Amino acid sequence: MILEHQNGLLLWRKSLLGERIWRDDLSYKLLFSPNGRSVYQFTEQDMELTAGESLLLNPHVIHKQLFHTSEKWIVELSPAFLSDVAREVGITASDPFFAKIVFKHPLIHQWVDTTRLYLQMQTTETEQRFWMENSLIQLALLLLRLVPGAHAENWNIEGYDPSIFVVLDALKQSYEQDWTLDDMVALTSLGKYQFSHHFKKETGLTPYSWLQILRVVKSQRLLQQTDASILTIALEVGFKNAAAYHTVFRRLYGQTPGDFRKRLLKT
DNA sequence: GCGGCGTCACTTTGTTTCCT
DNA sequence: AGGAAACAAAGTGACGCCGC
């Protein structure tokens, strides 16, 4: 099923075919795998989505779907639309720019479930158009607020299981401190291995990579608003040195902190 | 030459998988 | 559920490149 709208496009498909062609879309693109497994190929590496996981691509990220095992969802949001929503509600003044990470969030899953149920109902074209219009605005807000690695000051962590929330909240409060897995486990009533698994199951990310993403996101404001050196910023947000910072930044955003700063100065 | 930035090879630590 | 081992990712220090 494909629904088109001036603000975006929704594709919901159950066929199991992969694709041969490389895509270079103009839009932001949410890839979601409700219950199966999907594998996407990028120029640098492949990425896999398992049940309940999402991946949000910025415009012009070259990719190809290798295969998926069951239902797949693709929602495209036009850059002008997403930027307008972000500006109107004051989430970000510049164009949204998302980290390339596979993540999970219960509210995104809920959005898909609700949309699926609605689309299965007998409705008129006009009703569907209204639904799409509102639904895309809802999704845009969810993405801007909830996707890890999206926006420094407004990254919401509500909605997760309480045992995970307590750790996420502590990390958010003191991301610049030295954290070990044991420190995080101490905040919960779970065992070390149990915590590790539970965290990944809930968020789609490992505890340490979540912390690294948080640090990189926090560093973006410093890159934008100060002229501090890359090393100073790396140390300030909790990295032990610039090399570690460079590596993580590049993995998440496909560019170095220096490139990121130059891009912001241009706009 | 100096300072800042980015990369590389090696070491350490975290994560996942397998097993009991 | 929890431990051991294998594997993956992050941290470290050294070094090259570039602009001043």
Side-chain angles (χ1 to χ4, degrees):
Chain A
M1 173 181 275
I2 296 181
L3 284 180
E4 288 186 66
H5 187 272
Q6 58 174 353
N7 293 337
L9 175 151
L10 192 155
L11 185 150
W12 167 29
R13 192 168 276 170
K14 286 181 181 170
S15 78
L16 305 182
L17 293 172
E19 290 176 333
R20 287 186 183 178
I21 51 162
W22 285 91
R23 296 189 174 275
D24 174 17
D25 295 304
L26 301 172
S27 306
Y28 291 92
K29 192 166 181 179
L30 175 74
L31 309 169
F32 182 74
S33 174
N35 40 41
R37 177 169 165 261
S38 303
V39 179
Y40 289 87
Q41 186 178 3
F42 296 91
T43 43
E44 324 82 63
Q45 88 279 41
D46 295 354
M47 290 181 94
E48 181 180 336
L49 302 184
T50 53
E53 291 182 334
S54 313
L55 176 61
L56 182 56
L57 304 179
N58 292 308
H60 297 300
V61 173
I62 296 166
H63 65 283
K64 174 163 83 172
Q65 185 188 39
L66 293 181
F67 73 92
H68 64 105
T69 55
S70 65
E71 185 184 355
K72 77 165 174 182
W73 283 71
I74 294 176
V75 186
E76 293 185 8
L77 297 172
S78 92
F81 165 67
L82 194 63
S83 299
D84 280 354
V85 173
R87 281 195 193 92
E88 255 186 70
V89 296
I91 290 179
T92 168
S94 53
D95 288 342
F97 194 69
F98 299 94
K100 198 161 100 189
I101 40 171
V102 173
F103 66 96
K104 264 188 188 178
H105 198 289
L107 289 182
I108 309 263
H109 206 145
Q110 235 170 58
W111 179 90
V112 171
D113 287 343
T114 309
T115 305
R116 185 197 294 106
L117 278 174
Y118 186 84
L119 295 179
Q120 283 169 334
M121 287 162 48
Q122 294 283 338
T123 53
T124 64
E125 242 178 68
T126 314
E127 280 178 61
Q128 280 195 352
R129 191 165 46 78
F130 273 120
W131 176 270
M132 266 293 271
E133 181 127 11
N134 286 287
S135 204
L136 290 179
I137 293 176
Q138 280 180 16
L139 181 65
L141 290 170
L142 289 177
L143 296 177
L144 289 165
R145 281 286 186 211
L146 304 175
V147 176
H151 301 288
E153 309 307 323
N154 300 288
W155 180 4
N156 284 31
I157 53 169
E158 280 82 8
Y160 287 112
D161 177 89
S163 62
I164 297 302
F165 177 83
V166 74
V167 175
L168 297 180
D169 193 43
L171 294 179
K172 206 176 169 186
Q173 301 301 327
S174 50
Y175 56 87
E176 71 285 355
Q177 286 178 16
D178 264 350
W179 282 89
T180 62
L181 197 59
D182 289 330
D183 295 334
M184 299 182 205
V185 170
L187 298 170
T188 71
S189 54
L190 303 169
K192 193 171 175 176
Y193 305 100
Q194 211 183 348
F195 171 73
S196 218
H197 283 110
H198 189 51
F199 194 101
K200 175 93 194 231
K201 189 167 151 270
E202 281 283 307
T203 66
L205 294 158
T206 60
Y208 210 74
S209 57
W210 181 283
L211 176 61
Q212 299 293 56
I213 293 163
L214 184 58
R215 285 173 173 165
V216 167
V217 166
K218 293 287 180 185
S219 77
Q220 289 171 12
R221 190 178 56 80
L222 299 172
L223 286 169
Q224 193 169 10
Q225 295 176 3
T226 72
D227 56 359
S229 73
I230 303 286
L231 176 63
T232 309
I233 291 174
L235 297 175
E236 194 156 322
V237 297
F239 287 95
K240 297 286 167 52
N241 55 68
Y245 179 46
H246 278 287
T247 311
V248 177
F249 204 106
R250 194 178 196 128
R251 183 170 55 80
L252 291 176
Y253 294 100
Q255 58 188 332
T256 62
D259 294 339
F260 181 84
R261 183 177 251 171
K262 277 177 217 151
R263 191 176 64 86
L264 286 175
L265 289 175
K266 270 190 212 162
T267 55

